[in-house]
Amino acid sequence: MERLPDLEGDILVFDTDEIIENEKSGLMENVFLLIKHNDKVIWKEYAAFEYYGRFLEISEALQRKYGIRFSCLNIKLTGYMVGDSYRASNMLSGISKCNVFW
């Protein structure tokens, strides 16, 4: 995540999203995790099934890049992200600093 852009502002709030490209193919390798700031995509990567553990790394990278300006990461839960893990929402609540929602 070294390629995170420089951003303006004293308080930075980020949102997650998930998209499926070429959905007609039915292939789950077309699932992407998005990190957005002010509705602009600042990071995009392939999402693996049950990828919720990746958010710890993402939160740490945002903290390193933006320091005290990093306010929170709103995490939108999806079935692909959480999979069969009952622990995912509790873990993500601790990482988010904001909202974890379906």
Side-chain angles (χ1 to χ4, degrees), residues 8 10 12 15 19 25 27 32-33 35 45-46 56 59 61 73-74 79 87 96 98-99 101:
E8 303 272 330
D10 295 332
L12 302 176
D15 300 292
I19 60 168
S25 71
L27 299 174
F32 291 87
L33 162 65
I35 305 296
E45 66 181 49
Y46 284 105
L56 179 57
S59 182
L73 176 63
N74 290 305
R87 298 176 300 154
S96 162
C98 268
N99 301 306
F101 57 94

Side-chain angles (χ1 to χ4, degrees), residues 53-65:
R54 176 80 171 111
F55 285 102
L56 179 57
E57 297 166 5
I58 290 169
S59 182
E60 289 172 349
L62 293 170
Q63 183 69 47
R64 276 193 308 275
K65 174 71 178 185

Side-chain angles (χ1 to χ4, degrees), residues 12-18 33-43 55 62 70 72-76 98-99 101:
L12 302 176
V13 176
F14 300 90
D15 300 292
T16 68
D17 206 351
E18 183 181 283
L33 162 65
L34 306 177
I35 305 296
K36 297 178 178 181
H37 173 65
N38 290 338
D39 292 323
K40 180 181 176 191
V41 175
I42 63 163
W43 186 258
F55 285 102
L62 293 170
F70 168 53
C72 68
L73 176 63
N74 290 305
I75 299 174
K76 179 178 159 186
C98 268
N99 301 306
F101 57 94

